[in-house]
Amino acid sequence: MLTPRVLKLSLLRRLGAASAVRAAERPPPCRPRVFPARSNHSRGYSSEGGSKYNRPMRQFAEENEANPQPLIYYVVPSALLVFAGLVTFVHYNDEKRAVTQEAQQTSVPKRCTTNRPAIGGPFKLYDTENNEVTESKLRGNWTLMYFGYTSCPDIGPAEVQKMADVVKLLESKYGTKITPLFITIDPQRDSPAQLKAYLSEFDPRIIGLTGSINAVRQIAQEYRVFFKKVDDIGQDYLVESSHNMYLLDPCLETARCFGAEYEASDLAEAITLEIQKASKSSTN
């Protein structure tokens, strides 16, 4: 028969063996997973890698100092800046000179810059000596212009005589000189010699101009002058036309138009008033 002590030891061994079996059958405890710390450095400041973007900025600057850029990278932009400055300086001086020259041209009336009806334009005709005359040769003087023809039976000679009287009145009474200009509207019959002989009967200072049919038609259209042949029988015909005189300022712009109803004295006075008006506007 077993003693109590032996029974107690036997029971303890059995309990220990059962605990060991249960411990072996249980799964191992879960352990928390530990991740390695991740670096927060930016790519530009990383000390690893061979790219220049992974190098420190100080190292990158040291490399740039060690390997300077070629001289052409600095010379070309500097040359371009200098050239642009010279162009700007020259352009500014040109504009300044242009403004100064315009200010010095006080002899040209300010009315030349005003907007007025577009009457007149460029032309190329010939005088009684077969010399070419263009609008540029008339600039700088006041001009009294009339369109007519030497074969005109009535109104034409009266208007030419009026022009001659006005020229004399302006010089003697007002001390003013103008250029009297007679332009034929019948170039087929009015040759330079015919014009010279005709105008010398009134005043040799009247300048006669003629030209081709197209040239005469062009200047007549520019000055809104109407004319056409009537009773055309060979070389025997009349020319209907408007009998207006045009006062042109030194810029060859039409200052005023005068009809046939003006007398020579009235016309001279009206021309004087226009010249005085232009002189006042140019000095203001």
Side-chain angles (χ1 to χ4, degrees):
M1 186 173 184
L2 297 176
T3 64
R5 185 178 180 181
V6 174
L7 292 173
K8 185 177 180 180
L9 290 175
S10 176
L11 181 61
L12 291 175
R13 287 192 190 97
R14 290 178 182 179
L15 290 175
S19 299
V21 171
R22 285 195 297 270
E25 291 178 353
R26 283 201 303 264
C30 294
R31 294 181 180 179
R33 189 175 180 181
V34 179
F35 294 95
R38 186 175 293 179
S39 175
N40 292 326
H41 291 295
S42 62
R43 295 179 60 186
Y45 290 88
S46 175
S47 59
E48 297 178 359
S51 173
K52 68 176 182 179
Y53 296 106
N54 295 327
R55 300 172 186 173
M57 292 300 294
R58 183 178 299 176
Q59 182 181 355
F60 185 68
E62 291 176 355
E63 289 183 359
N64 284 341
E65 292 178 0
N67 300 314
Q69 296 289 344
L71 186 61
I72 192 171
Y73 284 91
Y74 304 99
V75 174
V76 172
S78 301
L80 291 176
L81 289 175
V82 172
F83 179 74
L86 289 176
V87 170
T88 304
F89 178 75
V90 172
H91 179 68
Y92 172 77
N93 283 345
D94 289 342
E95 289 185 347
K96 188 176 181 181
R97 282 196 297 268
V99 172
T100 304
Q101 291 177 358
E102 290 179 359
Q104 292 176 351
Q105 294 176 352
T106 56
S107 59
V108 179
K110 287 185 178 180
R111 65 185 301 163
C112 297
T113 61
T114 59
N115 294 325
R116 287 186 287 175
I119 299 177
F123 61 85
K124 184 174 73 173
L125 299 173
Y126 296 89
D127 61 13
T128 56
E129 302 299 330
N130 285 316
N131 298 317
E132 183 180 284
V133 178
T134 62
E135 71 283 354
S136 61
K137 293 186 177 181
L138 300 177
R139 292 184 181 274
N141 299 312
W142 287 85
T143 303
L144 187 61
M145 178 187 293
Y146 176 72
F147 291 83
Y149 65 108
T150 62
S151 301
C152 184
D154 43 20
I155 302 179
E159 291 299 298
V160 178
Q161 184 62 55
K162 184 195 299 183
M163 177 181 283
D165 294 340
V166 167
V167 172
K168 294 175 183 177
L169 281 172
L170 287 173
E171 290 186 357
S172 62
K173 187 175 180 180
Y174 300 100
T176 303
K177 290 185 178 182
I178 63 171
T179 302
L181 193 65
F182 179 94
I183 300 176
T184 181
I185 54 176
D186 187 15
Q188 291 176 306
R189 294 184 295 186
D190 289 344
S191 63
Q194 175 69 16
L195 278 176
K196 184 176 181 179
Y198 177 76
L199 296 175
S200 62
E201 297 180 1
F202 301 95
D203 193 323
R205 290 174 292 183
I206 301 176
I207 300 174
L209 296 181
T210 186
S212 64
I213 297 176
N214 291 334
V216 170
R217 184 179 292 113
Q218 175 185 341
I219 189 172
Q221 291 176 350
E222 289 172 348
Y223 284 92
R224 312 294 192 267
V225 175
F226 162 80
F227 72 94
K228 72 172 182 177
K229 290 182 180 180
V230 293
D231 301 332
D232 189 358
I233 304 175
Q235 290 296 318
D236 187 12
Y237 56 84
L238 299 176
V239 180
E240 287 185 356
S241 65
S242 53
H243 297 278
N244 294 325
M245 289 189 188
Y246 298 88
L247 179 63
L248 310 181
D249 65 13
C251 299
L252 284 188
E253 294 186 2
T254 304
R256 192 167 173 183
C257 179
F258 302 99
E261 68 276 6
Y262 279 83
E263 297 293 336
S265 58
D266 299 333
L267 186 56
E269 183 178 356
I271 291 173
T272 303
L273 290 176
E274 289 294 328
I275 295 175
Q276 291 175 352
K277 187 192 304 182
S279 178
K280 290 180 181 179
S281 64
S282 63
T283 55
N284 292 337

